[in-house]
Amino acid sequence: MTTTKPEPHTAAVPQLSPGHADTPVRVAVVDDHEMFRAGVIATLQPHFRIVGQAADVEGSVAMIADTQPDVVLLDVHVPGGEGGGGAEILMRSRALAPASVFLALSVSDSPQDVGSVIRAGARGYVTKTITGEDLISSIKQVNEGYAVFSPKLAGFVLSAFQGAPLAEDTGAPARDEELDRLSAREQEVMRLIARGYTYKEVAAELFISIKTVETHVSSVLRKLQLSNRTELTRWAADRRIV
Amino acid sequence: MAPAKLPLMRPKRGRWLTGVCKGVSLHLGVSVVWVRLAFLAAACLWGTGVVAYLFLWIFTPVGDPVEAARRQTRDATTEAPLSRGNAAFPTGPAHAPDDADTADEDNARSPDAGSQETVVDALRRAPKPALVASVGMVLLMLAVVMSYAHHQELILPLLFGISGLLVAWARYDAREGQMPTMVGGIALIFLAYAAYVINVMYADWGSDPLSLIAAGLAMLIGVGLAIVPWANAMIRSLAAERAMKEREEERADMTAHLHDGVLQTLALIQLHAKEPDTVFTLARGQERELREWLYQTRSTSDRSVNAGLKQIAAAIEDEHGKPIDVVTVGDARPSAQTDALLDATRQALVNAVTHGGEPVSVYCEAGETQVEVFVRDHGDGFDMDAVPADRLGIRESIIGRVRRRGGTVEVVSRPDWGTEVRMRIPITGDTPHTAAAPNTNAGQRQSDPAA
């Protein structure tokens, strides 16, 4: 509804594949809180090209389909639609804008909210208390195709997978079972992130490259999204974690 | 996408009489023709079908089952109180018109949209040929019954009695006015009884007291049936009242909380607008408290490891005005070990916020056999060996405390990296020496955190 484009000339810009080296990342902001949206846009403006913003579900879906942003900064609690909020926007716009990736940004840190957007396909989850600098690097990271984990989210993942046996890297267990487990390395990475390490520090600590850390993190995210443990989110919620 | 099984509801479209058959057929996934035939066949078995039909009519709500199923699956994902963001929260079913039943002005008008309809409404909605046919069938059945039973004296009471019941039920589920219709219905039923008694008295008095008693019983049953709509309305209004009261209480609770916490803090922040430190402390404390209130289930135990850790972090945050990120995984019962660990954590956090740099984070993972706590800051770091021997902050308050309880402490500090205090302590619970056992059923053990 309130789809506005602060930079009307972007229509003339040819569509480029996401992650293209020297073009600015095209970012869309979805948030129903107008002041917050304005603040985020002001923070991101020098670093990215803001191609659209919206405040409700219908408007967001239309805006995303229309502008095909590289990264959508997605609030979890958005009015409209069928009440599904950010997760609903994600579901509906994935078909319309297959190249866009989503970074969830919410003031909430309840396991239900985190779980719903992650399982709907968000590439990361950051809370609104994040610093501008961190937000910028998070956006860059998801644009490059990697997942973004805040310490809180890493804690949530560890809780959700706690009690599951570790996947043996050499053995070849059934495909489904594999999804329910984290490899020892993945768990190590998650634990360091939960301890407040940056990706760079995790890489240095484990003597691996940042790219490897990002790969581990992305595969954890994939497991979280695909894990056939349907009670995953509920499990975490019941134990009052995150 | 509709689930495999639709709920039992009477749809408004495609009905012949009141939609019972159509609803049943949708619910069971059987062709509606078969359902109707089954009801007709059952009706011939001493009227079983008719009774069943009436019961289903009364107890099946009106509505579109497909739509209801869709809404149900949707509700499951959005029942979290905050899942609507700033959107208006539905205060009762009044929001129905905006998504589901816009086409249906009847529903939009009545507050209980989608669940009930009065007999009058049902009759108005039923196709007229079906009505004529069913009235004809009822008359036919009456005629058949009458011709077999040679009881002319029954005709008048029966007519009275049936019309009495009809009157009583005519306003079933109407918003109000059950009382007068009920009284009218009961009066008619009394009339029926009186007519019968007078009839019998004139025919041959006292010859058959049993028939009088039977008639009295029939009247009682009739009166009972006539009361049902009124009782139903009573129960419904009671339930509505209770729900309203609960909503009110919740609202009052929330208002009180917002008033005590958020509004006061905001006022304080306005007063101290010129003092960034105070503003920061106030905002941070209020945020933490509100977050806890909104997203966490209340009444965590006082001194479970998680709760204790959060309390400590909050206190230090308030004292020093620096934010601390707390992440916890799992939980453990309090014991001498965990208390020592928490005390050491407090000291480590104090060190981190006074000497280290932001961000400061504390991570706690409670497993089956041990609890680990990591306190990390991003300051300049320091040389552990260079700390003078008389400084006891780290040596005694952290390392000594944990070691005395059988734990280990590791302090890692590097320039331009910061400092991390890593503390591990074994839990001697019901399984003292199973450190080697695989960590497979941590989930079960955690299922009852110290209450």
Side-chain angles (χ1 to χ4, degrees):
Chain A
M1 257 171 243
T2 52
T3 312
T4 51
K5 288 183 223 161
E7 293 181 44
H9 14 270
T10 49
V13 175
Q15 298 278 325
L16 288 162
S17 60
H20 196 275
D22 27 292
T23 46
V25 181
R26 305 171 70 252
V27 177
V29 180
V30 173
D31 198 305
D32 60 327
H33 203 296
E34 211 181 315
M35 295 252 283
F36 185 81
R37 206 166 63 219
V40 167
I41 289 174
T43 313
L44 300 181
Q45 200 74 267
H47 304 270
F48 305 107
R49 189 188 294 273
I50 311 293
V51 292
Q53 51 176 312
D56 59 3
V57 172
E58 281 83 12
S60 310
V61 174
M63 180 271 288
I64 292 165
D66 198 33
T67 57
Q68 301 284 326
D70 297 333
V71 177
V72 180
L73 209 53
L74 187 67
D75 186 17
V76 175
H77 298 306
V78 186
E82 299 181 350
E88 190 189 336
I89 297 177
L90 234 162
M91 303 267 208
R92 279 165 64 178
S93 14
R94 281 177 89 182
L96 303 170
S100 300
V101 294
F102 293 80
L103 176 62
L105 173 69
S106 173
V107 74
S108 144
D109 48 16
S110 84
Q112 287 96 329
D113 294 337
V114 180
S116 73
V117 280
I118 289 295
R119 290 177 85 84
R123 290 297 258 293
Y125 190 103
V126 291
T127 48
K128 283 184 177 173
T129 44
I130 192 172
T131 62
E133 218 172 291
D134 284 349
L135 184 59
I136 290 163
S137 69
S138 300
I139 291 175
K140 285 183 178 151
Q141 215 167 318
V142 290
N143 183 53
E144 282 162 25
Y146 296 108
V148 168
F149 274 76
S150 64
K152 278 241 153 88
L153 182 50
F156 167 69
V157 172
L158 284 170
S159 308
F161 283 99
Q162 197 187 40
L166 282 183
E168 285 156 38
D169 292 330
T170 45
R175 184 102 191 91
D176 282 350
E177 298 230 332
E178 203 181 322
L179 284 175
D180 284 348
R181 301 166 177 185
L182 296 182
S183 75
R185 218 24 186 306
E186 286 164 354
Q187 208 174 38
E188 248 174 316
V189 171
M190 279 299 112
R191 196 170 278 138
L192 286 175
I193 293 172
R195 272 156 66 178
Y197 284 53
T198 63
Y199 282 21
K200 214 168 94 190
E201 288 166 354
V202 173
E205 186 77 18
L206 298 178
F207 304 108
I208 53 181
S209 72
I210 292 193
K211 291 284 167 213
T212 316
V213 174
E214 287 173 336
T215 312
H216 281 308
V217 162
S218 294
S219 93
V220 171
L221 188 72
R222 188 176 51 88
K223 285 184 183 180
L224 196 61
Q225 284 164 352
L226 300 180
S227 173
N228 57 7
R229 286 206 247 169
T230 46
E231 76 278 20
L232 195 72
T233 312
R234 176 187 293 271
W235 190 94
D238 285 350
R239 283 162 181 74
R240 311 188 202 101
I241 37 193
V242 177
Chain B
M1 198 178 77
K5 199 155 192 139
L6 296 169
L8 182 58
M9 289 180 118
R10 293 185 285 126
K12 297 225 166 95
R13 286 168 203 84
R15 54 161 61 173
W16 273 10
L17 199 53
T18 61
V20 168
C21 290
K22 183 78 184 165
V24 169
S25 89
L26 281 175
H27 180 60
L28 298 179
V30 187
S31 166
V32 67
V33 179
W34 292 113
V35 179
R36 285 187 176 129
L37 280 179
F39 268 108
L40 273 184
C44 296
L45 296 172
W46 297 283
T48 323
V50 178
V51 174
Y53 191 92
L54 285 177
F55 263 94
L56 281 171
W57 178 17
I58 292 162
F59 291 112
T60 313
V62 184
D64 187 348
V66 182
E67 177 63 33
R70 205 167 68 87
R71 212 172 334 167
Q72 213 167 20
T73 52
R74 186 203 310 159
D75 282 352
T77 58
T78 63
E79 63 193 344
L82 294 150
S83 55
R84 297 175 154 260
N86 296 348
F89 209 72
T91 52
H95 75 300
D98 69 34
D99 51 30
D101 296 329
T102 340
D104 196 332
E105 66 283 31
D106 272 332
N107 268 357
R109 195 187 56 211
S110 77
D112 257 354
S115 65
Q116 305 288 358
E117 64 180 348
T118 63
V119 172
V120 183
D121 279 342
L123 291 184
R124 200 178 297 143
R125 210 171 277 140
K128 298 300 168 279
L131 273 186
V132 174
S134 41
V135 168
M137 270 184 54
V138 168
L139 287 179
L140 225 81
M141 272 162 61
L142 267 181
V144 169
V145 169
M146 287 298 158
S147 66
Y148 276 106
H150 301 285
H151 289 290
Q152 264 72 26
E153 79 275 7
L154 274 177
I155 294 177
L156 198 61
L158 264 182
L159 274 180
F160 273 131
I162 288 172
S163 52
L165 276 181
L166 276 180
V167 165
W169 282 77
R171 307 192 59 165
Y172 180 78
D173 282 337
R175 278 311 88 221
E176 61 237 343
Q178 270 86 2
M179 198 67 180
T181 47
M182 182 192 72
V183 171
I186 290 177
L188 274 171
I189 290 168
F190 266 116
L191 213 62
Y193 179 67
Y196 180 75
V197 169
I198 291 165
N199 244 330
V200 171
M201 251 175 17
Y202 276 107
D204 46 346
W205 170 241
S207 71
D208 194 3
L210 263 183
S211 72
L212 275 184
I213 294 171
L217 270 180
M219 181 194 70
L220 281 182
I221 292 171
V223 168
L225 283 176
I227 286 173
V228 170
W230 172 76
N232 180 53
M234 284 280 282
I235 290 168
R236 220 151 24 96
S237 73
L238 268 181
E241 233 163 73
R242 195 183 313 139
M244 177 93 89
K245 210 172 139 209
E246 272 167 17
R247 265 206 302 279
E248 278 302 313
E249 273 168 13
E250 200 176 306
R251 213 185 118 72
D253 194 22
M254 195 170 281
T255 313
H257 185 268
L258 289 178
H259 175 260
D260 293 348
V262 183
L263 283 184
Q264 312 260 22
T265 310
L266 284 176
L268 274 176
I269 285 178
Q270 284 176 27
L271 281 177
H272 294 92
K274 298 269 162 55
E275 305 156 41
D277 285 352
T278 320
V279 169
F280 181 85
T281 314
L282 285 170
R284 183 79 194 174
Q286 186 56 56
E287 186 210 329
R288 181 185 344 106
E289 199 236 337
L290 197 56
R291 209 172 261 288
E292 190 77 15
W293 198 73
L294 286 174
Y295 300 118
Q296 313 292 320
T297 326
R298 253 141 297 210
S299 76
T300 337
S301 79
D302 260 343
R303 229 359 207 186
S304 93
V305 173
N306 267 352
L309 195 74
K310 280 179 189 159
Q311 271 175 18
I312 289 171
I316 293 173
E317 216 174 52
D318 286 345
E319 279 166 30
H320 297 266
K322 289 203 181 144
I324 298 172
D325 285 328
V326 185
V327 177
T328 56
V329 172
D331 204 351
R333 289 167 196 281
S335 62
Q337 277 90 353
T338 60
D339 279 346
L341 188 71
L342 286 181
D343 291 339
T345 304
R346 176 195 294 278
Q347 185 59 45
L349 279 173
V350 169
N351 286 354
V353 294
T354 44
H355 306 302
E358 291 173 29
V360 175
S361 51
V362 53
Y363 171 69
C364 167
E365 182 171 342
E368 197 187 0
T369 53
Q370 70 167 357
V371 181
E372 295 173 286
V373 174
F374 301 85
V375 176
R376 171 80 205 268
D377 70 66
H378 286 76
D380 300 329
F382 65 97
D383 186 2
M384 190 57 189
D385 299 326
V387 177
D390 58 331
R391 298 293 298 271
L392 298 179
I394 293 176
R395 289 211 178 81
E396 262 317 295
S397 297
I398 300 176
I399 301 177
R401 231 180 218 145
V402 175
R403 285 221 176 118
R404 275 196 294 279
R405 294 287 173 186
T408 59
V409 177
E410 208 183 325
V411 180
V412 179
S413 190
R414 295 172 211 148
D416 300 328
W417 182 84
T419 307
E420 188 178 52
V421 183
R422 304 167 181 170
M423 295 168 277
R424 295 183 179 83
I425 209 157
I427 315 176
T428 51
D430 22 274
T431 50
H433 290 294
T434 48
N439 188 19
T440 46
N441 57 348
Q444 279 87 332
R445 217 195 74 80
Q446 300 300 332
S447 61
D448 54 345

